[in-house]
Amino acid sequence: MDIYIIRHGVAADLDSEIVEESFRYLTIHGRNHCRIVAQRLKDMKIRFDCILSSPLVRAVQTAEVFASVMKYDEEIKTAIELIGGSTYNRFLQLIKRYSHNNSIAIFGHAPDVNSYSLNLIKDNPIKDLQLNFKNASVCKVKFDPSTAEGNFEWFLNSENMKLIESAEK
Protein backbone atom coordinates (compact mmCIF):
# COMPACT_ATOMS: atom_id res chain seq x y z
CA MET A 1 0.00 0.00 0.00
CA ASP A 2 1.05 3.59 -0.59
CA ILE A 3 1.16 5.89 2.41
CA TYR A 4 1.43 9.64 1.92
CA ILE A 5 2.42 11.42 5.13
CA ILE A 6 1.68 15.14 4.96
CA ARG A 7 2.36 17.90 7.46
CA HIS A 8 -0.40 20.49 7.88
CA GLY A 9 -0.14 23.85 6.16
CA VAL A 10 0.98 27.16 7.67
CA ALA A 11 -1.28 28.02 10.61
CA ALA A 12 -2.04 31.16 12.55
CA ASP A 13 0.14 31.84 15.57
CA LEU A 14 -1.10 31.81 19.13
CA ASP A 15 -2.19 35.29 20.17
CA SER A 16 -4.89 37.06 22.18
CA GLU A 17 -7.61 35.60 19.92
CA ILE A 18 -6.17 32.10 19.47
CA VAL A 19 -5.24 31.04 22.96
CA GLU A 20 -5.14 27.26 22.49
CA GLU A 21 -2.87 25.26 20.24
CA SER A 22 -5.78 23.13 19.02
CA PHE A 23 -7.62 26.22 17.69
CA ARG A 24 -4.87 27.28 15.28
CA TYR A 25 -6.30 27.44 11.75
CA LEU A 26 -4.69 27.75 8.31
CA THR A 27 -3.70 31.21 7.19
CA ILE A 28 -4.61 32.41 3.69
CA HIS A 29 -0.98 31.78 2.72
CA GLY A 30 -1.23 28.29 4.25
CA ARG A 31 -4.35 27.47 2.22
CA ASN A 32 -2.85 28.78 -1.01
CA HIS A 33 0.39 26.88 -0.44
CA CYS A 34 -1.55 23.66 0.23
CA ARG A 35 -3.42 24.14 -3.06
CA ILE A 36 -0.10 24.36 -4.92
CA VAL A 37 1.27 21.19 -3.29
CA ALA A 38 -2.01 19.32 -3.83
CA GLN A 39 -2.03 20.36 -7.49
CA ARG A 40 1.49 18.96 -7.83
CA LEU A 41 0.26 15.61 -6.47
CA LYS A 42 -2.74 15.71 -8.80
CA ASP A 43 -0.40 16.41 -11.74
CA MET A 44 1.62 13.35 -10.66
CA LYS A 45 -1.64 11.32 -11.05
CA ILE A 46 -1.78 10.50 -7.34
CA ARG A 47 -5.12 9.46 -5.88
CA PHE A 48 -6.08 8.71 -2.31
CA ASP A 49 -8.41 5.87 -1.35
CA CYS A 50 -8.62 7.17 2.21
CA ILE A 51 -7.73 10.39 4.02
CA LEU A 52 -6.94 10.31 7.74
CA SER A 53 -6.31 13.52 9.63
CA SER A 54 -5.47 14.73 13.07
CA PRO A 55 -8.68 16.22 14.47
CA LEU A 56 -6.91 19.54 15.14
CA VAL A 57 -8.31 22.35 12.98
CA ARG A 58 -5.18 23.08 10.95
CA ALA A 59 -4.71 19.44 9.93
CA VAL A 60 -8.37 18.94 9.00
CA GLN A 61 -8.33 22.16 6.96
CA THR A 62 -5.17 20.99 5.16
CA ALA A 63 -6.82 17.65 4.39
CA GLU A 64 -9.89 19.50 3.07
CA VAL A 65 -7.80 21.64 0.72
CA PHE A 66 -5.96 18.59 -0.63
CA ALA A 67 -9.25 16.69 -1.00
CA SER A 68 -10.82 19.56 -2.92
CA VAL A 69 -7.93 20.04 -5.33
CA MET A 70 -7.46 16.30 -5.88
CA LYS A 71 -11.21 15.66 -6.36
CA TYR A 72 -11.41 13.30 -3.39
CA ASP A 73 -15.09 13.14 -2.49
CA GLU A 74 -15.10 10.55 0.28
CA GLU A 75 -15.25 11.32 3.99
CA ILE A 76 -12.15 12.71 5.67
CA LYS A 77 -11.69 10.60 8.78
CA THR A 78 -10.08 11.96 11.92
CA ALA A 79 -7.89 9.88 14.20
CA ILE A 80 -6.82 10.85 17.71
CA GLU A 81 -3.57 8.92 17.09
CA LEU A 82 -2.56 11.83 14.81
CA ILE A 83 -3.07 14.67 17.31
CA GLY A 84 0.57 14.49 18.33
CA GLY A 85 2.63 12.60 20.81
CA SER A 86 1.24 9.14 20.06
CA THR A 87 3.63 6.23 20.06
CA TYR A 88 4.76 4.66 16.82
CA ASN A 89 2.93 1.45 17.83
CA ARG A 90 -0.38 3.32 18.05
CA PHE A 91 0.34 4.90 14.67
CA LEU A 92 1.09 1.45 13.24
CA GLN A 93 -2.19 0.10 14.61
CA LEU A 94 -3.99 2.96 12.86
CA ILE A 95 -2.29 2.10 9.56
CA LYS A 96 -3.19 -1.57 9.91
CA ARG A 97 -6.87 -0.68 10.53
CA TYR A 98 -6.93 1.00 7.13
CA SER A 99 -4.65 -1.44 5.30
CA HIS A 100 -7.49 -2.61 3.04
CA ASN A 101 -6.91 0.63 1.09
CA ASN A 102 -4.33 0.87 -1.69
CA SER A 103 -3.36 4.43 -0.79
CA ILE A 104 -3.79 6.46 2.37
CA ALA A 105 -3.06 10.13 2.98
CA ILE A 106 -2.20 10.97 6.57
CA PHE A 107 -2.31 14.59 7.73
CA GLY A 108 -0.47 15.33 10.95
CA HIS A 109 1.97 17.49 12.84
CA ALA A 110 5.70 17.91 13.34
CA PRO A 111 7.72 16.24 14.74
CA ASP A 112 5.47 13.17 14.50
CA VAL A 113 5.24 13.19 10.69
CA ASN A 114 9.02 12.96 10.54
CA SER A 115 9.40 10.20 13.13
CA TYR A 116 6.51 8.15 11.70
CA SER A 117 7.97 8.37 8.19
CA LEU A 118 11.41 7.28 9.32
CA ASN A 119 10.01 4.47 11.46
CA LEU A 120 8.00 3.11 8.53
CA ILE A 121 11.20 2.89 6.47
CA LYS A 122 13.05 -0.24 7.63
CA ASP A 123 16.73 -0.83 6.84
CA ASN A 124 16.75 1.77 4.12
CA PRO A 125 19.70 4.07 3.37
CA ILE A 126 17.27 6.97 3.03
CA LYS A 127 16.99 6.98 6.83
CA ASP A 128 20.27 8.89 6.75
CA LEU A 129 18.50 11.64 4.83
CA GLN A 130 17.11 14.26 7.18
CA LEU A 131 13.53 14.70 5.97
CA ASN A 132 12.71 18.33 6.56
CA PHE A 133 8.94 18.37 6.96
CA LYS A 134 8.15 22.01 6.32
CA ASN A 135 4.44 22.86 6.21
CA ALA A 136 2.56 20.85 3.52
CA SER A 137 5.57 18.64 2.69
CA VAL A 138 4.76 15.07 1.63
CA CYS A 139 6.58 11.75 2.08
CA LYS A 140 5.52 8.67 0.12
CA VAL A 141 6.25 5.26 1.62
CA LYS A 142 5.41 1.91 0.00
CA PHE A 143 4.28 -0.12 3.01
CA ASP A 144 3.64 -3.83 3.49
CA PRO A 145 1.16 -4.28 6.38
CA SER A 146 1.98 -8.00 6.71
CA THR A 147 5.63 -7.30 7.57
CA ALA A 148 5.13 -3.76 8.92
CA GLU A 149 8.01 -2.61 6.74
CA GLY A 150 8.14 0.18 4.26
CA ASN A 151 10.34 1.50 1.50
CA PHE A 152 10.97 5.16 0.80
CA GLU A 153 9.55 6.23 -2.56
CA TRP A 154 9.94 10.01 -2.54
CA PHE A 155 9.77 13.20 -0.50
CA LEU A 156 8.27 16.44 -1.80
CA ASN A 157 9.78 19.48 -0.10
CA SER A 158 7.00 22.06 -0.15
CA GLU A 159 9.38 24.99 0.24
CA ASN A 160 11.05 24.54 -3.12
CA MET A 161 8.77 21.82 -4.62
CA LYS A 162 11.85 19.65 -5.08
CA LEU A 163 11.08 15.93 -5.33
CA ILE A 164 13.68 13.68 -3.71
CA GLU A 165 13.29 10.16 -5.06
CA SER A 166 14.64 6.84 -3.90
CA ALA A 167 17.77 5.71 -5.74
CA GLU A 168 16.23 2.23 -5.85
CA LYS A 169 13.43 3.24 -8.22
Side-chain angles (χ1 to χ4, degrees):
M1 75 186 296
D2 294 331
I3 299 176
Y4 299 89
I5 299 176
I6 304 162
R7 182 177 175 202
H8 66 77
V10 176
D13 292 326
L14 292 173
D15 61 18
S16 60
E17 290 181 27
I18 307 168
V19 295
E20 273 191 48
E21 186 70 24
S22 62
F23 296 157
R24 293 177 56 218
Y25 53 84
L26 292 185
T27 63
I28 291 171
H29 167 72
R31 287 179 186 276
N32 290 336
H33 189 72
C34 286
R35 282 187 194 96
I36 292 166
V37 176
Q39 185 62 51
R40 174 78 185 268
L41 295 184
K42 184 178 178 187
D43 292 345
M44 293 168 67
K45 308 281 190 255
I46 291 168
R47 293 181 30 92
F48 303 140
D49 295 331
C50 178
I51 292 180
L52 301 173
S53 174
S54 157
L56 299 186
V57 174
R58 59 193 179 273
V60 172
Q61 289 177 329
T62 301
E64 289 171 343
V65 170
F66 274 72
S68 174
V69 170
M70 298 177 74
K71 307 297 186 215
Y72 175 87
D73 54 7
E74 301 297 319
E75 179 183 1
I76 295 171
K77 297 175 172 75
T78 58
I80 59 170
E81 295 89 343
L82 301 175
I83 286 177
S86 279
T87 65
Y88 177 68
N89 284 337
R90 285 193 69 202
F91 174 75
L92 202 53
Q93 290 170 359
L94 174 68
I95 297 298
K96 288 183 178 183
R97 280 200 312 271
Y98 289 92
S99 63
H100 57 280
N101 293 285
N102 290 323
S103 65
I104 299 175
I106 296 172
F107 291 83
H109 309 275
D112 292 344
V113 289
N114 191 298
S115 64
Y116 293 158
S117 296
L118 292 176
N119 276 304
L120 285 173
I121 303 166
K122 301 293 184 191
D123 301 322
N124 195 315
I126 202 68
K127 285 186 104 162
D128 295 332
L129 174 69
Q130 294 299 312
L131 298 181
N132 189 3
F133 264 97
K134 296 293 184 184
N135 294 99
S137 291
V138 183
C139 183
K140 179 183 178 189
V141 175
K142 180 73 80 178
F143 185 73
D144 182 347
S146 65
T147 62
E149 293 187 3
N151 289 310
F152 174 80
E153 292 279 310
W154 51 256
F155 179 77
L156 178 61
N157 181 329
S158 68
E159 274 193 335
N160 58 18
M161 298 303 282
K162 182 178 177 188
L163 190 69
I164 302 164
E165 296 184 86
S166 170
E168 298 175 8
K169 286 186 93 173

